[in-house]
Amino acid sequence: MISLKTEEEIEILRENNILVSKTLALVGGHIRPGVTTEELDRIAEEFIRDNGAVPGFLGYNGFPKTLCVGVNEEVVHGIPGSYVLREGDILSVDCGTIMKGFYGDSAYTFCVGEVSPDKLRLLDVTREALCKGAAQAKAGNRVGDISAAVQRHAETNGYSVVRDLTGHGVGRKMHEEPEVPNFGVKGRGPVLKAGMVICIEPMINMGKKAVVTEADGWTVRTRDRMPSAHFEWTVAITPNGGPDVLTDFSIIDRALNAV
Ligand code: MG
Ligand code: MG
């Protein structure tokens, strides 16, 4: 069952995702060599609670923290801890909130100090892949149109797409139907309808597509230990016209430029 949201519910989802964007902007402003991922997590949790929401990931299936982080070859679901960020790292930060009964969910991959040109290109291509996927999030299209657009952009740039994890519907639950894979065939999959709200979240690897889960039971990393990037938007399907992106990366970009 794919649930359709009312306009009022979509506005609550937007409120959540604006708060997530602001949280990621605040976190991004604190990212520098010498900072631990645990410090970033504390900043995020305090900000989310100060804004009348609850961290969406904390306690979700037993996850122990507010943020999911991933350094370099870590793809997603890493647990913030004592790791000290180093010049040249890339750090993916995934953040969720719950407010007024609905979830916010988005992710951004940040640079720690000066990052190598090959990592910068991976970030650019992953973010472009997200934009190209989201551009297909229109009523009457199919989920496969999004998936194919993401995959095509990643692979034509020489990268690979993680298969084991996907985007998803979102609403009163963090993970709802449909699944939104980052690989697939145009014209296949569920039809997109007005009122659907989905998370599009390409996880793109510089090397091969295979991933493994670390012994902590959470952290997913690339098997070949090559870097991986992750960007995520929550997007509403509108009755007519383009996708309504409920996440606002401009808040994050402005904060990073101001640092
Ligand atoms: Mg997420
Ligand atoms: Mg998600």
Side-chain angles (χ1 to χ4, degrees):
M1 251 292 288
I2 298 176
S3 80
L4 301 180
K5 278 76 182 179
T6 65
E7 277 179 40
E8 292 74 22
E9 289 171 336
I10 289 173
E11 289 317 307
I12 296 172
L13 284 158
R14 191 189 314 278
E15 266 186 74
N16 270 280
N17 282 290
I18 295 297
L19 178 56
V20 171
S21 301
K22 287 178 178 170
T23 307
L24 289 172
L26 180 68
V27 166
H30 286 82
I31 289 175
R32 60 178 64 86
V35 172
T36 66
T37 52
E38 181 133 56
E39 288 172 64
L40 301 175
D41 193 76
R42 212 173 303 126
I43 289 164
E45 178 172 2
E46 186 181 324
F47 185 74
I48 290 168
R49 293 192 189 279
D50 284 350
N51 282 277
V54 170
F57 300 165
L58 185 65
Y60 187 87
N61 292 335
F63 189 77
K65 294 286 182 179
T66 291
L67 301 175
C68 289
V69 294
V71 183
N72 299 325
E73 71 268 24
E74 293 170 358
V75 181
V76 287
H77 300 169
I79 303 169
S82 58
Y83 179 83
V84 180
L85 294 174
R86 280 184 257 182
E87 182 88 19
D89 284 344
I90 54 172
L91 177 71
S92 87
V93 181
D94 198 342
C95 181
T97 58
I98 311 167
M99 188 166 42
K100 301 180 186 174
F102 286 82
Y103 274 89
D105 182 12
S106 41
Y108 194 100
T109 303
F110 297 92
C111 296
V112 183
E114 291 289 318
V115 163
S116 66
D118 59 335
K119 281 181 173 170
L120 280 179
R121 183 172 168 270
L122 175 68
L123 300 188
D124 286 345
V125 169
T126 305
R127 192 164 163 170
E128 288 160 11
L130 167 58
C131 292
K132 286 177 186 288
Q136 298 298 318
K138 292 187 286 197
N141 277 7
R142 287 176 181 267
V143 169
D145 298 338
I146 298 172
S147 307
V150 170
Q151 181 180 14
R152 183 184 158 81
H153 191 66
E155 291 181 354
T156 56
N157 279 282
Y159 299 140
S160 61
V161 174
V162 173
R163 303 293 203 271
D164 308 50
L165 301 139
T166 68
H168 50 91
V170 64
R172 289 188 184 276
K173 289 190 247 167
M174 183 156 61
H175 295 117
E176 299 185 354
E177 288 183 50
E179 277 196 350
V180 184
N182 296 302
F183 62 98
V185 179
K186 203 172 158 51
R188 300 261 180 90
V191 176
L192 299 171
K193 293 181 184 152
M196 284 172 58
V197 180
I198 55 174
C199 290
I200 305 173
E201 49 178 314
M203 289 151 258
I204 305 299
N205 297 348
M206 195 183 285
K208 298 213 168 79
K209 63 178 182 286
V211 296
V212 295
T213 303
E214 297 279 23
D216 63 14
W218 283 104
T219 313
V220 176
R221 68 157 169 88
T222 57
R223 194 163 68 192
D224 61 12
R225 295 192 182 271
M226 295 278 280
S228 182
H230 179 212
F231 288 88
E232 177 180 21
W233 278 346
T234 297
V235 180
I237 312 301
T238 61
N240 35 45
D244 185 1
V245 181
L246 306 182
T247 305
D248 188 354
F249 273 2
S250 74
I251 298 172
I252 305 169
D253 294 335
R254 276 202 305 274
L256 294 180
N257 288 332
V259 169

